[in-house]
C-alpha cells in the first residue's frame, strides 16, 4: 500500500479515506477467510510504512470496523517504537495524549478489545519515553487519568482510567513488559522509577475509586454499573500488590522477624501452589496497615456475601473473585512494612483470619454445600489464605491466631479441614481433578510451609502440643484413607501399563508432604506405621494359600511407600542424613532393640528377606510388591545402612548431650560393626532374586539396577564390605558367565556393569584391576574371538548374534563409564584389546544402525574415561584408533541420507545419523580434554602427536556428514557448536589447515548458527568468531600472517576472488545487529566478536558505514547515523587493543549505538 500520509506532510482526505477502506476490507477478508494472504499484506504494509500516525488516527476516529481500529492502534505502536529515536518531543507527547484521550472519549464503546489495545499502546509509548520525560510532562498525562479515576466524568471514563493504569503497571513490570529492543538497564530504571514515585499513588487512586462506589453496590438490589468500576479497582490493587518490590529498605542485619522465619524460597520444598510474598516496605504502612483499608475490604465482602447468600454461584462473580484475591494477597504482607512490630502484624493477620474463617468453617457444612451445587471458589480461596499466612509465620504464631475466636488452635482447624477434604476426595474418587484435589494440594502446601523449616533445623523447634496431636490425628486419617484407596484399586485394571510407572513417581510429591506431617509427631506415627505393617504381614501369613490376598498386597505396597518417605529423605545426589525429627524425638530410647525406627526397619527387612524362599516368593511376593520393597530398600539404605563417619559425626554432634545415646543406638545398629554387613548381604540377595526370578519385569529390574545398586556403591566404605560378600561375588559370577542376566533389558545390563565395576573402589588398586579383568574379560574375549572367525560375516546377521553383540557392547559401555584411577589400568587394557574388533564390527554391521550406535557410544565412554590418564605412547595408540574409526565411519556414511527415499525412511535415517554424529562429536570433545587436563607423566608432544591437529583432522572427517538438516536436531546442534566454539577459541591457528571444502562447510555452519533461533547456539558462534578475529588481529600486529589467505580471500573454481571470512562475517554480524531480531542478552557477546572484526577489516567497516549513511533519505538521519558510527569506535576512550577493559568499553558503545540507530534503520 502506497501513499500513507506522513506525520508532518499535508493531509489528503481522499487518501486517508482510501487507506481506511483498504484496511477495513482487509480485516473483513481475514475474518471471512477470503484471500487472507493479500489481506495480511495490506495490514502489514500499514504497520511497516514510515510515520503512519495521521492515517492510523484517522482510522481510529472514523472507522466503523472494530478490527480496523485495532490494527490502526497496533500500527501506531509498532511505528512509534521503531521510529522513536527521530520523533520530536512534541510528536512523542502528542501520540501518548492522543491514545489517552481516545480511551477516555470512547470509554462507553462496546468494543472493549479496541479500548484495551489503545490503552496498552499508550502505556508502551509512555514507558518508551519515561526516562526522557520531565516530571511535569508525566504529571500532565496523569492529571487527566486521575480526573477520570475520581469519577468526575462518569463511570465509563472512571473504568477506562483504571484500565489504563492496569496496562501501565503491567508494562512496567519486567515479567509482563513488551519487547522494545532496549537493554535490561532501561527496563530496570523504568521499573524502579515507577515503584518509587508512582505505584503507591496509583494504589491510593484505585482504593479511593472503589470506596466511592461501594455504598451504591451494597445498597442496590441488583447488579449496578458501579460494580464494574469496583471490580477494576480491586483488580488494580491486587496487581500493584503483586509487584516485585525491590525498594523496601532491606531488613537490618542481624534483625529477627518471626513472621518470616518459616518462609522457604528455595527449590527444595515440594510445593504445588503459588504463594508470593508481598513486601512493599515501610513507606506503604500508612496505606495498607494503618488506614483501616483491610477492615473496609473485609466488611465489603461480608456485606455482599450476606446479601447474595442465596445465590450459589455469586462467589464466582467478578467483584467477589477480585475481592477475595485481594484479601488473600493481604495475607501475604510481610517484611519491613510492619517495622518488626509483632503485635501489629499479628493483629493484621487475626483481622484477616476472622473475615476468612467463615469461608471454610465448619468444614463439613461447607463441603456439603459445595456437593449440593454451591461454588467451590470461596472454599479454595480460604485454603489459599491459610497457605499465605502459613508462609509468613512460625507454627506457634499460626496456631495461636485462631484461639482468640475459637476453642481450638489454627493447626487443629487445619487438620479438621484437611480431613474433611480428603474424605470428600475418597468419596468421589475419580481420575478427574475436582475441587477436593486442588484443596488437598493447597492444604498440603500449607503444612509444608509450616513444617519444612522445622524439618531442616536442629534443636527443639517443635509444634505446640495441641498441634502435634492434630498432626498425629491427621496423619492417621491420611494413612487410613490411603490404605482404603489402595485396597479399592486392587482389582482395577484400567491404565494398567502406566500405573506401575506412575505409582511411585507420581505419588512422591504428595507422600513427601505426608512425611512432614508424620515427622512432627513421630512418637505416635512411627508406632502407628509399625502396627499397621505388622497387621498386614500377619494377615498375609494367615491367609496365604487360603484366600485372595491382592487387597492386602496393595495395602502393603502403599504402606511401604509411606514408611519410606517418613523415615528417610531422597537425598537428590547427596548422602541424606537421618531426618531431624527422628534424631531428636526419641531421646529417652537408648536401647537399640526398643528404638521405634529400628523396630520398624527390622520388621520390613525381615519381611523382605522371606522372598528368598521360593515357596513364599511364589505365593506372596508379586512383582508389584517387590517394586515397593526394592524402592524402600534403596531409599532406606542411603540413610541408615553403614552410615558414614562424617554423617554420623554430624548427627552425634547436634542437639543436647542427653540425646547422643539415642542417636548413637540408631546409627550404630545398622553400622559396619553391628548389623550392617548382615543387612547388606540380605539386600544383595534380594536384588539378585529380582534379576533372576522375575523375567520380563523391566520396571522392577530397573529399580534394582538404577536405584538400589547405585545407592549401595555410592559410598566407598560400603563398597569395602560389599566386595567381600559371597552374595556380591555370586552376582558378579552370574553377570560374567550365566545366560540368565543376558535376558535383562540391555540398558539394565549396562547399569549393572557400571555398578559392579564401581564396587571395585572398595578394593586396593591391584585387586581392583584384577576384579575388573575377571568381571569383563570374558566379554572382550568373546567379541575378539567372534570378530576373528572366518565365517563371521555370514553369521553376523543372525538375530541371536546381533543380540549377543548388543548386550556385550552395552556391558562394555557400563564398565567404561565407571572408570576411575583405581581401575583405570584394567579398563584401558580392556578397550585396547578390542580396538581391531571394534573396527571389524563397525564394518560388518554398517547397515545395523543400532549396533553402530552402541559401538560408537562404547568408544566415546571408553576414551572419555581414559584419555586424561594415558601416557604419551598409550595416547598415540588411542588417537590413531579414533582416527581410523572416524575414517571408516565417514567412508561408510558420506552422502548416505541423501539417497532418494520416502519421507518416513528419510526422517528415520536422519535420526540415526544424528545420534551417531553426536557420539562422534563427543569423541572429539573427549580428545580435546587431554590438552586441558592431563595426569600422565610425560607430554604427548614427545611422541609427535598434537591434539589440536588430531581434533581438526577428526573435524575434517566428520564435517561433511553434518548437514544443515541434521543441525536442526537441538542436541546435535549444541554438541557441534560447543566443539566448534572451543576449537576456534583455543586452536584458531590450526583452523586454516582444514582443506578448502571442509573449511567452507565450517563457515556455512557458522553462518547458520549465527542466525539460529536458540540464543545459546548464537552465543557459541559469536565466541568462535571472536576467537578467530582476535587471533588474526593479534598475529597481524605481531607481523605474522594469522589466518592468511582465508582472511584475505580465496579464488573459487572459476578463478574469481571470494570475500575473506572476516569480511564475510563482519557484514553478516552488522546485518544481524541492525536489521534482524535477536535477544538483547546477546549484545555483549556480539560486541566481543564485532570489535576484533572491525579492527581486522577497518576499510570494509568504513565502506559499509558509508553505504548505510547514503541510503538514508533525510539529511538529519544521515548526520545522526554518521555521528553514531563515529561514536561507536571512538567513545569511552576506545583503543585498538583487545584487552578486557577495551572489550567492556566497546560493549557500552554498542549498546548506545543500537539504541540510537536500530529503530530508524529498520524502518522500511
Amino acid at each position: 500500500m502506497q501513499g500513507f500520509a506522513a506525520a508532518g506532510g499535508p493531509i489528503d482526505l481522499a487518501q486517508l479515506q482510501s487507506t481506511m477502506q483498504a484496511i477495513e476490507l482487509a480485516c473483513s477478508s481475514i475474518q471471512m477467510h477470503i484471500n487472507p494472504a493479500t489481506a495480511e499484506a495490506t495490514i502489514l504494509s500499514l504497520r511497516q510504512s514510515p510515520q503512519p500516525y495521521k492515517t492510523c488516527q484517522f482510522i481510529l476516529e472514523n472507522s466503523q470496523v472494530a478490527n480496523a481500529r485495532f490494527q490502526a492502534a497496533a500500527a501506531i505502536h509498532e511505528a512509534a517504537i521503531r521510529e522513536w529515536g527521530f520523533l520530536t518531543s512534541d510528536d512523542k507527547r502528542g501520540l501518548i495524549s492522543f491514545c489517552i484521550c481516545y480511551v477516555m472519549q470512547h470509554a462507553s464503546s462496546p468494543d472493549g478489545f479496541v479500548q484495551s489495545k489503545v490503552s496498552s499502546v499508550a502505556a508502551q509509548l509512555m514507558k518508551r519515553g519515561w526516562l526522557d520525560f520531565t516530571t511535569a510532562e508525566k504529571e500532565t498525562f496523569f492529571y487527566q487519568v486521575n480526573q477520570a479515576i475520581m469519577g468526575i466524568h462518569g463511570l465509563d471514563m472512571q473504568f477506562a482510567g483504571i484500565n489504563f493504569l492496569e496496562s501501565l503497571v503491567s508494562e512496567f513490570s519486567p515479567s509482563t513488559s513488551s519487547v522494545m529492543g532496549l537493554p535490561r538497564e532501561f527496563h530496570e530504571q523504568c521499573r524502579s522509577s515507577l515503584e518509587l514515585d508512582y505505584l503507591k499513588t496509583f494504589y491510593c487512586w484505585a482504593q479511593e475509586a472503589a470506596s466511592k462506589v461501594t455504598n451504591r453496590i451494597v445498597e442496590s438490589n441488583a447488579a449496578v454499573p458501579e460494580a464494574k468500576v469496583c471490580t477494576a479497582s480491586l483488580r488494580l490493587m491486587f496487581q500493584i500488590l503483586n509487584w516485585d518490590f525491590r525498594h523496601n529498605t532491606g531488613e537490618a542485619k542481624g534483625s529477627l522477624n518471626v513472621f518470616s522465619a518459616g518462609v522457604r524460597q528455595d527449590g527444595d520444598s515440594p510445593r504445588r501452589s503459588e504463594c508470593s510474598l508481598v513486601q512493599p516496605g515501610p513507606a506503604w504502612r500508612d496505606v495498607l496497615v494503618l488506614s483501616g483499608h483491610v477492615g473496609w475490604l473485609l466488611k465489603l465482602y461480608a456485606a455482599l456475601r450476606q446479601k447474595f447468600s442465596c445465590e450459589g454461584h455469586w462467589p464466582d462473580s467478578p467483584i467477589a473473585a477480585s475481592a477475595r484475591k485481594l484479601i488473600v494477597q493481604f495475607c501475604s504482607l510481610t517484611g519491613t512494612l510492619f517495622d518488626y512490630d509483632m503485635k501489629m502484624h499479628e493483629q493484621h493477620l487475626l483481622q484477616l483470619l476472622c473475615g476468612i474463617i467463615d469461608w471454610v468453617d465448619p468444614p463439613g457444612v461447607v463441603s456439603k454445600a459445595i456437593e449440593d451445587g454451591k461454588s467451590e471458589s470461596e472454599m479454595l480461596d480460604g485454603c489459599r489464605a491459610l497457605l499465605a499466612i502459613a508462609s509468613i509465620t512460625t507454627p506457634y504464631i499460626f496456631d495461636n491466631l485462631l484461639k482468640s475466636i475459637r476453642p481450638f488452635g489454627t493447626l487443629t482447624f487445619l487438620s479438621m479441614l484437611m480431613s474433611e477434604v480428603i474424605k470428600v476426595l475418597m468419596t468421589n474418587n475419580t481420575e478427574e481433578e475436582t475441587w477436593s484435589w486442588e484443596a488437598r494440594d493447597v492444604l498440603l502446601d500449607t503444612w509444608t510451609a509450616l513444617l519444612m523449616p522445622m524439618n531442616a533445623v536442629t534443636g527443639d523447634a517443635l509444634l505446640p502440643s495441641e498441634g502435634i496431636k492434630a498432626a498425629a490425628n491427621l496423619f492417621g486419617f491420611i494413612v487410613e484413607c490411603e490404605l482404603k484407596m489402595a485396597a479399592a484399586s486392587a482389582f482395577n485394571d484400567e491404565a494398567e501399563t502406566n500405573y506401575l510407572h506412575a505409582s511411585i513417581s507420581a505419588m512422591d510429591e504428595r507422600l513427601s508432604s505426608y512425611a512432614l506431617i508424620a515427622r512432627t509427631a513421630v512418637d505416635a506415627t512411627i508406632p502407628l506405621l509399625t502396627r499397621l505393617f505388622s497387621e498386614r504381614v500377619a494377615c498375609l501369613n494367615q491367609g496365604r494359600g487360603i484366600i485372595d490376598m491382592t487387597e492386602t498386597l496393595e495395602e502393603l505396597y502403599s504402606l511401604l511407600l509411606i514408611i519410606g518417605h517418613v523415615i528417610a529423605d531422597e537425598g537428590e545426589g547427596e548422602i541424606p542424613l537421618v531426618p531431624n525429627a527422628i534424631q531428636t524425638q526419641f531421646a529417652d530410647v537408648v536401647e537399640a532393640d526398643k528404638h521405634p525406627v529400628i523396630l520398624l526397619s527390622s520388621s520390613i527387612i525381615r519381611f523382605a528377606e522371606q522372598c528368598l524362599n521360593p515357596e513364599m516368593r511364589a505365593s506372596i511376593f508379586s512383582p508389584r510388591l517387590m517394586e515397593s520393597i526394592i524402592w524402600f530398600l534403596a531409599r532406606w539404605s542411603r540413610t541408615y545402612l553403614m552410615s558414614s563417619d562424617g554423617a554420623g559425626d554430624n548427627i552425634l554432634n547436634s542437639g543436647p548431650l542427653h540425646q547422643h545415646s539415642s542417636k548413637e543406638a540408631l546409627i550404630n545398629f545398622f553400622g559396619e560393626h553391628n548389623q550392617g554387613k548382615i543387612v547388606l548381604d540380605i539386600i544383595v540377595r534380594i536384588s539378585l532374586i529380582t534379576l533372576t526370578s522375575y523375567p520380563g519385569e523391566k520396571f522392577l529390574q530397573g529399580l534394582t539396577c538404577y536405584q538400589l545398586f547405585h545407592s549401595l556403591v555410592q559410598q566407598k566404605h560400603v563398597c569395602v564390605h560389599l566386595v567381600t560378600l559371597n552374595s556380591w561375588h555370586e552376582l558378579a559370577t552370574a553377570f560374567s558367565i550365566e545366560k540368565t542376566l543376558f535376558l535383562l533389558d540391555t540398558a539394565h545390563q549396562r547399569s549393572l556393569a557400571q555398578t559392579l565395576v564401581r564396587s571395585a573402589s572398595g578394593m586396593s588398586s591391584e585387586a581392583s584391576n584384577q576384579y575388573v579383568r575377571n568381571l569383563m574379560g570374558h566379554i572382550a574375549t568373546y567379541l575378539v574371538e567372534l570378530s576373528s572367525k572366518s565365517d563371521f560375516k555370514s553369521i553376523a546377521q543372525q538375530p541371536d548374534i546381533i543380540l549377543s553383540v548388543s548386550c556385550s557392547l552395552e556391558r562394555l559401555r557400563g564398565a567404561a563409564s565407571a572408570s576411575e584411577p583405581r581401575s583405570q589400568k584394567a579398563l584401558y587394557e580392556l578397550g585396547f584389546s578390542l580396538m581391531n574388533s571394534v573396527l571389524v564390527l563397525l564394518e560388518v554391521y554398517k547397515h545395523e544402525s543400532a549396533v553402530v550406535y552402541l559401538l560408537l557410544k562404547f568408544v566415546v565412554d571408553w576414551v572419555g574415561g581414559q584419555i586424561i590418564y594415558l601416557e604419551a605412547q598409550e595416547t598415540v595408540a588411542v588417537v590413531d584408533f579414533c582416527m581410523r574409526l572416524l575414517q571408516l565411519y565417514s567412508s561408510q556414511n558420506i552422502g548416505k541420507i541423501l539417497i532418494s527415499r520416502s519421507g518416513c525412511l528419510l526422517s528415520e535415517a536422519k535420526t540415526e545419523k544424528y545420534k551417531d554424529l553426536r557420539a562422534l562429536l563427543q569423541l572429539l570433545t573427549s580428545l580435546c580434554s587431554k590438552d586441558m587436563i592431563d595426569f600422565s607423566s610425560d607430554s604427548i608432544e614427545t611422541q609427535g602427536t598434537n591434539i589440536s591437529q588430531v581434533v581438526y583432522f577428526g573435524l575434517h572427517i566428520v564435517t561433511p556428514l553434518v548437514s544443515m538438516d541434521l543441525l536442526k536436531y537441538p542436541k546435535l546442534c549444541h554438541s557441534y557448536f560447543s566443539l566448534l566454539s572451543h576449537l576456534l577459541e583455543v586452536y584458531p591457528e590450526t583452523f586454516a589447515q582444514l582443506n578448502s571444502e571442509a573449511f567452507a562447510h565450517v563457515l556455512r555452519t557458522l553462518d547458520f548458527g549465527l542466525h539460529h533461533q536458540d540464543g545459546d547456539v548464537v552465543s557459541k558462534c559469536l565466541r568462535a568468531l571472536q576467537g578467530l578475529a582476535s587471533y588474526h588481529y593479534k598475529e597481524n600486529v605481531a607481523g605474522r600472517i594469522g589466518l592468511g589467505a582465508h582472511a584475505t580471500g580465496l579464488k573459487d573454481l572459476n578463478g574469481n576472488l571470494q570475500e575473506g571470512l572476516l569480511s564475510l562475517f563482519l557484514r553478516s554480524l552488522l546485518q544481524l545487529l541492525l536489521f534482524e531480531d535477536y535477544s538483547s542478552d546477546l549484545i555483549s557477546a556480539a560486541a566481543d566478536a564485532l570489535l576484533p572484526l572491525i579492527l581486522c577489516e577497518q576499510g570494509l567497516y568504513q565502506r559499509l558505514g558509508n553505504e548505510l549513511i547514503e541510503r538514508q533519505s533525510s539529511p538529519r538521519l544521515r548526520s545522526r547515523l554518521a555521528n553514531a558510527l563515529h561514536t561507536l569506535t571512538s567513545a569511552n576512550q576506545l583503543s585498538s587493543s583487545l584487552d578486557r577493559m577495551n572489550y567492556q568499553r566497546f560493549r557500552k558503545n554498542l549498546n548506545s549505538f543500537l539504541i540510537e540507530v536500530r529503530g530508524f534503520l529498520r524502518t522500511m
Side-chain angles (χ1 to χ4, degrees), residues 63 72 186 320 397 437 517 588 789 798 1018:
S63 177
F186 170 83
I397 293 174
W437 278 70
I517 297 171
D588 297 334
K789 287 184 177 181
Q798 296 176 9
V1018 179

Side-chain angles (χ1 to χ4, degrees), residues 1061-1074:
L1061 74 93
L1062 299 178
S1063 301
L1064 177 73
F1065 281 110
L1066 178 59
R1067 286 182 186 275
S1068 186
L1069 185 52
L1070 284 172
Q1071 173 72 21
L1072 171 69
L1073 288 170
L1074 294 175

Side-chain angles (χ1 to χ4, degrees), residues 875-1032:
T875 303
V876 171
V878 170
V879 166
D880 178 64
F881 164 67
C882 291
M883 292 303 104
R884 288 160 59 200
L885 177 82
L886 288 166
Q887 286 172 323
L888 179 58
Y889 181 88
S890 178
S891 67
Q892 294 170 350
N893 292 276
I894 188 71
K896 190 171 180 180
I897 67 166
L898 302 179
I899 301 172
S900 176
R901 59 180 81 188
S902 71
C904 180
L905 288 176
L906 184 61
S907 176
E908 189 176 319
K910 285 179 180 177
T911 302
E912 292 167 4
K913 292 305 108 188
Y914 140 68
K915 292 168 65 180
D916 291 354
L917 287 174
R918 186 161 177 256
L920 293 177
L921 291 171
Q922 289 170 340
L923 177 61
L924 293 175
T925 303
S926 296
L927 292 175
C928 278
S929 65
K930 184 69 172 177
D931 261 4
M932 295 182 286
I933 306 172
D934 189 359
F935 294 134
S936 63
S937 59
D938 57 351
S939 171
I940 60 170
E941 275 76 10
T942 59
Q943 298 288 325
T945 301
N946 184 298
I947 284 292
S948 66
Q949 292 178 338
V950 169
V951 174
Y952 269 111
F953 180 61
L955 190 66
H956 176 200
I957 295 170
V958 173
T959 292
L961 303 174
V962 183
S963 68
M964 296 303 173
D965 282 342
L966 287 173
L967 284 177
K968 293 174 183 176
Y969 288 86
K971 288 184 179 179
L972 176 65
C973 188
H974 278 268
S975 295
Y976 177 76
F977 284 109
S978 293
L979 177 63
L980 200 60
S981 174
H982 173 78
L983 292 177
L984 298 186
E985 282 185 277
V986 180
Y987 310 120
E989 69 281 357
T990 320
F991 180 56
Q993 297 175 16
L994 289 175
N995 68 24
S996 57
E997 184 181 345
F999 186 89
H1001 185 83
V1002 169
L1003 293 189
R1004 285 197 299 273
T1005 57
L1006 260 182
D1007 189 60
F1008 171 85
L1010 198 60
H1011 299 86
H1012 201 276
Q1013 61 185 5
D1014 187 323
D1016 189 41
V1017 170
V1018 179
S1019 179
K1020 286 179 169 66
C1021 291
L1022 290 170
R1023 291 208 309 272
L1025 287 177
Q1026 178 192 357
L1028 281 176
S1030 59
Y1031 164 75
H1032 182 72

Side-chain angles (χ1 to χ4, degrees), residues 396-642:
Y396 270 97
I397 293 174
F398 181 83
D399 190 50
N400 283 331
L401 286 173
L402 199 59
K403 288 183 177 178
S404 59
I405 56 173
R406 292 287 192 278
F408 44 78
T410 322
L411 288 169
T412 300
F413 175 73
L414 187 62
S415 173
M416 293 162 49
L417 181 60
M418 188 166 176
S419 296
E420 178 62 32
V421 167
I422 291 175
K423 186 167 71 176
V424 173
L425 190 59
M426 274 197 63
T427 306
N428 305 325
N429 190 16
T430 172
E431 291 189 6
E432 294 182 10
E433 293 197 8
T434 59
W435 71 269
S436 52
W437 278 70
E438 188 173 355
R440 181 198 62 188
D441 286 348
V442 175
L443 293 174
L444 275 179
D445 286 342
T446 305
W447 282 103
T448 300
L450 289 165
L451 303 179
M452 180 64 84
M454 291 172 50
N455 189 57
V457 299
T458 58
D460 297 321
L462 303 175
L463 289 181
S465 56
E466 183 186 321
I468 293 173
K469 183 179 178 181
N473 291 337
L474 174 60
F475 181 74
F477 184 72
I478 287 171
V479 173
E480 178 189 341
C481 292
E482 288 288 338
L483 295 182
K484 285 181 181 178
M485 291 174 73
S489 69
F491 301 104
N492 183 7
D493 293 331
E494 293 180 14
E496 190 175 338
T497 53
N498 294 328
Y499 186 62
L500 294 180
H501 293 271
S503 53
I504 291 177
S505 57
M507 290 172 65
D508 187 71
E509 201 175 64
R510 187 170 81 249
L511 294 179
S512 295
S513 295
Y514 290 168
L516 286 176
I517 297 171
R519 289 177 189 176
T520 62
V522 287
D523 288 344
T525 55
I526 297 292
L528 169 69
L529 292 171
T530 305
R531 176 176 61 79
L532 292 172
F533 182 79
S534 300
E535 288 173 357
R536 267 62 184 180
V537 171
C539 183
L540 275 183
N541 290 329
Q542 292 168 7
R544 184 165 61 93
I546 303 173
I547 59 174
D548 187 342
M549 303 304 300
T550 308
E551 290 187 1
T552 306
L553 291 175
E554 283 298 323
E555 288 178 334
L556 273 173
Y557 178 95
S558 184
L559 201 52
L560 283 169
L561 297 187
I562 293 171
I563 293 171
H565 280 85
V566 171
I567 66 175
D569 289 319
E570 184 180 12
E572 296 181 355
E574 299 179 356
I575 305 300
L577 299 179
V578 176
N580 180 62
I582 292 175
Q583 290 182 43
T584 57
Q585 292 309 300
F586 296 112
D588 297 334
V589 183
V590 294
E591 297 176 27
D593 58 353
K594 294 182 179 178
H595 197 292
V597 175
I598 293 175
L599 292 174
L600 178 56
S601 301
S602 299
S603 65
I604 294 174
I605 292 167
R606 284 195 301 272
F607 171 70
E609 189 180 7
Q610 294 180 48
C611 78
L612 301 178
N613 182 320
E615 185 184 345
M616 293 290 289
R617 186 163 64 245
S619 60
I620 290 179
F621 291 91
S622 66
R624 182 162 164 77
L625 179 60
M626 288 302 295
E627 288 170 17
S628 62
I629 289 173
I630 293 297
W631 176 88
F632 172 84
L633 291 175
R635 189 180 182 104
W636 176 89
S637 62
R638 283 194 293 268
T639 300
Y640 294 96
L641 185 59
M642 297 184 184

